[in-house]
Amino acid sequence: MLQQLVHIPDGPALIEGMLEVPDGAKGVVLFAHGSGSSRLSPRNNYVAGVLREAGIGTLLMDLLTVEEDNEYKTRFDIPLLTRRLTVATEWLKQHTDFKALPLGYFGASTGAAAALQAAAKMGKAVVAVVSRGGRPDLAGGAALRQVVSSTLLLVGGFDDVVIELNQAAFEVMSCEKELSIIPGATHLFEEPGTLEEVARQATAFFIRHMP
């Protein structure tokens, strides 16, 4: 398996990430973490590990520089996060070894909004998007209506407000879509077995949409 620390330029900024791709990979999933988190997020890394076991490559990135992440408001700058994710997608598409592989996004919390905005921009270049406890509403109605990537929204059963926000976003979207509520889970999926269920459903969804 390829394991490579990568640095992707976006103007003067560098997006740092860990690219891990199994031999014979079915595709690659780019991760967009939520505010206050990073590519070292234990939850995203757990999901990424399950994806790799299923033969799907992963790119976990810090979409903000250290200086940017220290600014609280920048953590919620969805257009900036979207641009960084789009830049990383374009970089990966140009990579000789992976440019023919299907691409997907996995977004958590505010990262889900960036993933959906980026998917709207990238069109059919992104085959699937999975949101974990996400805020798809922050992507905005215009972007949600433009998404053509198959989309799975995963929400904890005890995450009442976020369930409502996901249901509202779900109604706006016209792509192939699923909304799955994980019983017994709160926003961070800390309860026993809930993160495992997220990883199981996400992996099955990506495999289904990566030819």
Side-chain angles (χ1 to χ4, degrees), residues 25-42:
K26 302 175 179 70
V28 180
V29 172
L30 295 83
F31 280 69
H33 58 74
S35 59
S37 186
S38 73
R39 65 180 172 83
L40 301 178
S41 159

Side-chain angles (χ1 to χ4, degrees), residues 106-117:
F106 184 96
S109 190
T110 51
L116 287 165
Q117 280 196 358

Side-chain angles (χ1 to χ4, degrees), residues 8 19 28 30 59 85-105 118-119 121-127:
I8 304 168
L19 178 64
V28 180
L30 295 83
L59 175 56
L85 185 56
T86 304
V87 166
T89 307
E90 293 287 2
W91 176 87
L92 196 59
K93 284 173 60 183
Q94 300 304 316
H95 199 296
T96 305
D97 295 333
F98 314 122
K99 61 183 180 182
L101 291 179
L103 300 179
Y105 291 150
K121 293 176 182 292
M122 298 304 300
K124 294 181 179 179
V126 175
V127 298

Side-chain angles (χ1 to χ4, degrees), residues 8-201:
I8 304 168
D10 176 33
L14 281 178
I15 303 167
E16 186 171 85
M18 179 58 71
L19 178 64
E20 299 183 68
V21 184
D23 292 338
K26 302 175 179 70
V28 180
V29 172
L30 295 83
F31 280 69
H33 58 74
S35 59
S37 186
S38 73
R39 65 180 172 83
L40 301 178
S41 159
R43 295 174 187 85
N44 280 355
N45 272 275
Y46 173 79
V47 174
V50 175
L51 288 175
R52 291 193 297 271
E53 288 176 3
I56 298 173
T58 59
L59 175 56
L60 289 104
M61 301 163 288
D62 288 328
L63 295 177
L64 298 176
T65 65
V66 174
E67 294 76 19
E68 290 167 342
D69 196 49
N70 286 332
E71 293 287 334
Y72 182 76
K73 64 180 181 180
T74 309
R75 296 180 179 182
F76 296 89
D77 188 340
I78 305 301
L80 174 60
L81 297 174
T82 299
R83 190 181 81 231
R84 295 276 167 82
L85 185 56
T86 304
V87 166
T89 307
E90 293 287 2
W91 176 87
L92 196 59
K93 284 173 60 183
Q94 300 304 316
H95 199 296
T96 305
D97 295 333
F98 314 122
K99 61 183 180 182
L101 291 179
L103 300 179
Y105 291 150
F106 184 96
S109 190
T110 51
L116 287 165
Q117 280 196 358
K121 293 176 182 292
M122 298 304 300
K124 294 181 179 179
V126 175
V127 298
V129 178
V130 175
S131 161
R132 170 182 67 81
R135 291 290 308 275
D137 55 297
L138 295 178
L144 291 175
R145 282 186 284 271
Q146 291 172 15
V147 174
V148 295
S149 314
S150 300
T151 301
L152 171 62
L153 306 178
L154 296 167
V155 194
F158 291 148
D159 202 1
D160 297 339
V161 174
V162 176
I163 289 176
E164 294 177 5
L165 294 171
N166 274 258
Q167 287 171 333
F170 185 84
E171 293 301 320
V172 172
M173 302 177 75
S174 59
C175 59
E176 179 187 344
K177 57 189 178 178
E178 296 178 28
L179 173 60
S180 178
I181 297 176
I182 310 297
T186 51
H187 185 63
L188 295 179
F189 297 89
E190 296 174 305
E191 295 72 25
T194 57
L195 189 60
E196 288 82 355
E197 180 62 15
V198 165
R200 186 191 70 78
Q201 291 195 31

